[in-house]
């Protein structure tokens, strides 16, 4: 037997409390399978020499997809009970020390492994524990007696043992007695188990909402970005114009290379401004024949997609249309709804305003329409 440490990861459960199509240990958190998080933490620890995984019968495909090309030995097939999965896994362990770990605890701080291995020196077993914060009581139809919590601890994994000690504890276990972890078995066999400080990061993913919390742990902090856009188009002969993604009847048209939707152009520039990605002209050059008469809704959707691709979300857009005519008021609700639709926002996140310039300037003389827009988005902090 070598003086080595093997991590035995039990991943053979069915995750019945969470349910769903695939067992929880194969579901992704932050784009990586729960099991792979646990394995990577163990592979990265200098005190761990190798990692042996125990999977459920029929989980081979899920396992292969989860581990990719990580250098691991063939998985062992586990049993119906966790205890059986550990026992079967132990047949593949020939190291002096073993760390038994639940695949359902994906976030393993290296310090916990440090503490366990240090505590195992000269001892038969060591477990990470945390104090109990809540009041504990017996349940049932109505609240039962309080259980004093001062003397209680919550026991986590990994649990470290001298392999022979764990092996014999499993061999001598009465199969009729439930054992939810290994330390209680080793202890029952007469060995002392050291306690080291566990970690809140090690919480087991047990319920559906645990996945939401795990996902949020990895979510990058978002910072707010605000940018503006401005555009002008001149009136031309015609019988209507595009404004805010809608065709509005009028005794004039707007001239431009595309459909000349001055409002959507201002909005597009505001969105591009939030990610610092040039302006509408750099994405859709007027020199390019493809954009002749093109609907500006496509420009706005493109800008929206770029914000989303940057990991951003649009919080709010505010548009001001500046002209004497046509009157915007009657069209305002429809424009608002159309912009919300194009940006996949709620109408409450879209503001549409209009003003005249009191007959002053080019808008006041009815030579064209101007539009201003302000967009507020949230972006991952690392881009900031
Ligand atoms: N486990 C195992 N073999 C079993 C049962 C459980 O290897 N027969 C593993 C699980 O995959 C998990 C760890 O033991 O990594 C802790 O078990 P638990 O959280 O109870 O997972 P499940 O048994 O899968 O979930 P549930 O109890 O909700 O069905
Ligand atoms: Mg279980």
């Amino acid at each position: 037997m070598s003086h080595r440490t093997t991590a035995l990861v039990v991943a053979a459960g069915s995750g019945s409390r969470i349910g769903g199509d695939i067992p929880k240990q194969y579901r992704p958190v932050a784009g990586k399978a729960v099991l792979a998080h646990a394995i990577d933490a163990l592979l990265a620890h200098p005190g761990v020499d190798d990692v042996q995984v125990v999977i459920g019968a029929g989980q081979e495909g899920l396992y292969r997809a989860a581990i990719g090309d990580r250098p691991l030995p063939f998985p062992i097939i586990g049993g119906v009970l966790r205890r059986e999965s550990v026992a079967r896994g132990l047949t593949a362990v020939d190291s002096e020390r073993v760390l038994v770990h639940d695949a359902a605890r994906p976030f393993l701080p290296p310090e916990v492994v440090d503490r366990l291995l240090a505590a195992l020196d000269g001892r038969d077993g060591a477990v990470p524990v945390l104090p109990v914060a809540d009041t504990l009581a017996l349940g049932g139809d109505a609240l039962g007696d309080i259980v004093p919590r001062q003397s209680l601890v919550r026991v986590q994994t990994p649990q470290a043992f001298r392999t022979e000690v764990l092996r014999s504890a499993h061999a001598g276990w009465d199969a009729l007695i439930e054992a939810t972890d290994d330390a209680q078995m080793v202890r029952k066999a007469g060995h002392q188990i050291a306690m080291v400080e566990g970690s809140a990061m090690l919480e087991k993913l047990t319920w559906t909402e645990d996945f939401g919390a795990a996902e949020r742990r990895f979510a990058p902090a978002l910072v707010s970005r605000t940018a503006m856009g401005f555009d002008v188009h001149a009136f031309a002969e015609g019988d209507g114009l595009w404004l805010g993604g809608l065709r509005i009847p009028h005794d004039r048209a707007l001239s431009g290379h595309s459909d000349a939707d001055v409002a959507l152009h201002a909005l597009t520039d505001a969105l591009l401004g939030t990610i610092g990605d040039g302006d509408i002209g750099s994405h859709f050059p007027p020199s390019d024949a493809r954009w002749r008469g093109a609907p500006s809704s496509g420009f706005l959707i493109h800008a929206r997609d770029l914000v989303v691709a940057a990991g951003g979300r649009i919080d709010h857009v505010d548009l001001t249309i500046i002209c004497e005519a046509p009157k915007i008021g009657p069209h305002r609700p429809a424009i608002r709804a159309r912009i919300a639709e194009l940006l996949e926002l709620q109408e409450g996140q879209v503001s549409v305003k209009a003003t005249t310039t009191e007959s002053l300037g080019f808008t006041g003389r009815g030579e064209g329409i101007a539009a201003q827009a302000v967009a507020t988005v949230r972006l991952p902090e690392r881009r900031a």
Side-chain angles (χ1 to χ4, degrees):
M1 178 179 300
S2 60
H3 292 273
R4 298 171 359 150
T5 302
T6 296
L8 183 63
V9 180
V10 284
S14 57
S16 58
R17 280 171 288 187
I18 284 187
D21 292 341
I22 57 174
K24 60 189 177 184
Q25 62 272 30
Y26 302 109
R27 277 171 56 169
V29 168
K32 181 163 123 181
V34 166
L35 169 64
H37 281 282
I39 289 171
D40 287 348
L42 289 161
L43 284 174
H45 198 284
V48 175
D49 297 294
D50 48 18
V51 175
Q52 173 67 56
V53 184
V54 181
I55 66 170
Q59 295 177 349
E60 291 85 351
L62 289 168
Y63 172 75
R64 272 196 299 277
I67 65 152
D69 55 8
R70 290 172 180 79
L72 296 169
F74 275 113
I76 297 288
I77 302 299
V80 174
L81 302 172
R82 182 189 185 280
R83 176 174 59 76
E84 294 167 340
S85 296
V86 174
R88 292 191 192 179
L90 281 174
T91 62
V93 177
D94 66 353
S95 304
E96 186 195 352
R97 307 189 293 184
V98 62
L99 282 171
V100 183
H101 187 48
D102 291 335
R105 302 180 195 265
F107 313 122
L108 170 54
E111 313 84 71
V112 175
V113 176
D114 294 341
R115 293 197 276 266
L116 288 166
L117 294 179
L120 197 56
D121 259 345
R123 290 203 191 80
D124 292 331
V127 292
V129 302
L130 284 181
V132 176
D134 295 321
T135 295
L136 292 182
L138 299 178
D141 288 342
L143 187 70
D145 281 344
I146 295 297
V147 179
R149 67 171 181 228
Q150 295 79 357
S151 54
L152 297 180
V153 290
R154 295 195 291 139
V155 183
Q156 303 180 312
T157 80
Q159 301 186 345
F161 305 98
R162 291 203 297 112
T163 308
E164 279 319 309
V165 168
L166 181 60
R167 219 190 289 281
S168 67
H170 273 270
W173 191 255
D174 176 351
L176 294 178
I177 299 176
E178 188 186 3
T180 50
D181 77 346
D182 298 281
Q184 59 191 276
M185 299 170 63
V186 172
R187 189 182 158 271
K188 272 277 164 59
H191 301 272
Q192 253 207 0
I193 307 291
M195 294 191 292
V196 304
E197 189 190 343
S199 166
M201 296 280 287
L202 270 172
E203 294 293 355
K204 190 156 62 101
L205 301 183
T206 303
W207 312 104
T208 303
E209 52 269 31
D210 297 341
F211 271 84
E215 206 61 74
R216 280 192 293 280
R217 177 169 285 158
F218 282 96
L222 298 178
V223 293
S224 190
R225 285 278 177 275
T226 299
M228 62 170 294
F230 176 74
D231 196 28
V232 172
H233 280 271
F235 280 122
E237 293 300 310
D239 59 0
L241 44 88
W242 285 94
L243 201 57
L246 295 180
R247 179 81 183 159
I248 292 178
H250 191 49
D251 56 7
R252 322 221 52 198
L254 286 176
S255 77
H257 187 68
S258 63
D259 67 5
D261 189 328
V262 62
L264 294 195
H265 292 182
L267 275 171
T268 300
D269 264 0
L271 285 177
L272 292 173
T274 63
I275 51 174
D277 193 354
D279 58 26
I280 194 168
S282 59
H283 288 268
F284 305 99
S287 53
D288 190 330
R290 271 182 301 166
W291 315 125
R292 185 182 303 279
S296 298
S297 54
F299 304 161
L300 187 63
I301 288 169
H302 181 73
R304 177 201 74 195
D305 289 347
L306 289 173
V307 170
V308 171
R313 354 187 150 134
I314 302 170
D315 278 332
H316 186 252
V317 293
D318 182 31
L319 173 69
T320 302
I321 300 168
I322 306 162
C323 59
E324 304 289 325
K327 289 292 166 218
I328 304 302
H331 304 289
R332 192 211 309 254
I335 291 176
R336 186 187 199 197
R338 176 68 178 143
I339 291 170
E341 178 189 23
L342 291 171
L343 293 178
E344 295 178 358
L345 298 176
Q346 304 294 314
E347 285 187 31
Q349 295 172 283
V350 177
S351 156
V352 175
K353 314 195 299 302
T355 184
T356 69
T357 48
E358 300 288 337
S359 304
L360 298 173
F362 70 86
T363 50
R365 291 188 296 272
E367 293 166 9
I369 301 182
Q372 294 177 332
V374 174
T376 305
V377 308
R378 270 175 297 159
L379 286 169
E381 202 166 25
R382 60 174 181 273
R383 279 185 58 95

